[in-house]
C-alpha cells in the first residue's frame, strides 16, 4: 500500500523543524569546539576556532556573535572566546550525547572510525527518548555489543 502524501502544512512543519535543528547543531558544534580548545590549549582564539571548524574567520566571528547573543559565550579583546556557564553545560551535554551515540553505533557493529563520523550528525538530531533507549541498550551489553 503506497504511502499517503503528507499534508502541505505537515511537510512545512517538518522542514521548519529540520532547519531549526541545523541551526541549533551549529551552535552546539561551536560551544563544543570552544570547550575542547580551552581544554587542549588553555584558550579559544577565533583563528583556532575557524581552523578547527573548517570555516573562514569572518564565519566563525559571526557564529561567535550568535553564541554571545544566546548567552553561551563571551569574548575579551586579545583574550579569545570563553563559554558562559550555560555554554559550558551545553558543551558537556553535546559531548555526552556524542559519546553515547558513538558507543551505541560501535556496539551494533559500526567500525569506530565510521561511528565517530556518523555520530557528528546524529548527535544533534537524536531525541532524548532515542538517546535513553541507546543508554538502556548499552547498559545491557559489553563493549562488543554482546548481552551481559
Amino acid at each position: 500500500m503506497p504511502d499517503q502524501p503528507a499534508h502541505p502544512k505537515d511537510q512545512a512543519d517538518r522542514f521548519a523543524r529540520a532547519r531549526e535543528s541545523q541551526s541549533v547543531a551549529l551552535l552546539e558544534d561551536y560551544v563544543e569546539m570552544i570547550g575542547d580548545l580551552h581544554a587542549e590549549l588553555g584558550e579559544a582564539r577565533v583563528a583556532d576556532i575557524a581552523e578547527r571548524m573548517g570555516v573562514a574567520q569572518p564565519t566563525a566571528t559571526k557564529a561567535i556573535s550568535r553564541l554571545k547573543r544566546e548567552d553561551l559565550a563571551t569574548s575579551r579583546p586579545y583574550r579569545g572566546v570563553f563559554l558562559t556557564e550555560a555554554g559550558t553545560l551545553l558543551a558537556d551535554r553535546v559531548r555526552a550525547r556524542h559519546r553515547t551515540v558513538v558507543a551505541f553505533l560501535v556496539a551494533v557493529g559500526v567500525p569506530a572510525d565510521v561511528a565517530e563520523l556518523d555520530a557528528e550528525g546524529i548527535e544533534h538530531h537524536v531525541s532524548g527518548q532515542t538517546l535513553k533507549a541507546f543508554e538502556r541498550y548499552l547498559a545491557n551489553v559489553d563493549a562488543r555489543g554482546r548481552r551481559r
Side-chain angles (χ1 to χ4, degrees), residues 81-139:
V81 181
F82 300 86
L83 295 176
T84 63
E85 186 176 335
T88 300
L89 291 172
L90 178 59
D92 292 346
R93 281 194 313 271
V94 172
R95 245 183 245 100
R97 254 190 349 233
H98 181 87
R99 285 191 302 269
T100 298
V101 171
V102 169
F104 176 79
L105 293 173
V106 169
V108 298
V110 177
D113 58 333
V114 174
E116 280 290 339
L117 288 172
D118 289 348
E120 267 311 314
I122 295 169
E123 73 187 27
H124 300 294
H125 303 285
V126 66
S127 69
Q129 189 174 10
T130 299
L131 198 60
K132 289 288 183 203
F134 287 1
E135 291 167 350
R136 281 192 304 275
Y137 176 83
L138 290 168

Side-chain angles (χ1 to χ4, degrees), residues 8 10 13 24 28 31 47 63 86 88 124-125 136-137 142 146:
D10 293 339
D13 288 346
V24 170
E28 290 176 344
V31 296
T88 300
H124 300 294
H125 303 285
R136 281 192 304 275
Y137 176 83
D142 64 16
R146 296 182 300 216

Side-chain angles (χ1 to χ4, degrees), residues 31-79:
V31 296
E32 187 177 14
M33 180 56 63
I34 292 166
D36 290 348
L37 285 167
H38 272 279
E40 182 183 336
L41 304 174
E43 65 179 352
R45 297 176 312 129
V46 174
D48 295 327
I49 295 166
E51 179 182 24
R52 298 279 182 101
M53 295 296 292
V55 299
Q57 285 189 32
T59 302
T61 299
K62 183 177 176 183
I64 292 162
S65 293
R66 183 170 171 215
L67 292 177
K68 288 161 55 173
R69 282 192 311 275
E70 301 277 338
D71 195 35
L72 296 170
T74 62
S75 64
R76 299 182 195 137
Y78 311 108
R79 295 273 329 271

Side-chain angles (χ1 to χ4, degrees), residues 6-15:
H7 186 275
K9 180 169 178 2
D10 293 339
Q11 285 180 317
D13 288 346
R14 283 198 306 266
F15 286 122

Side-chain angles (χ1 to χ4, degrees), residues 23 27 73:
S23 178
L27 285 182

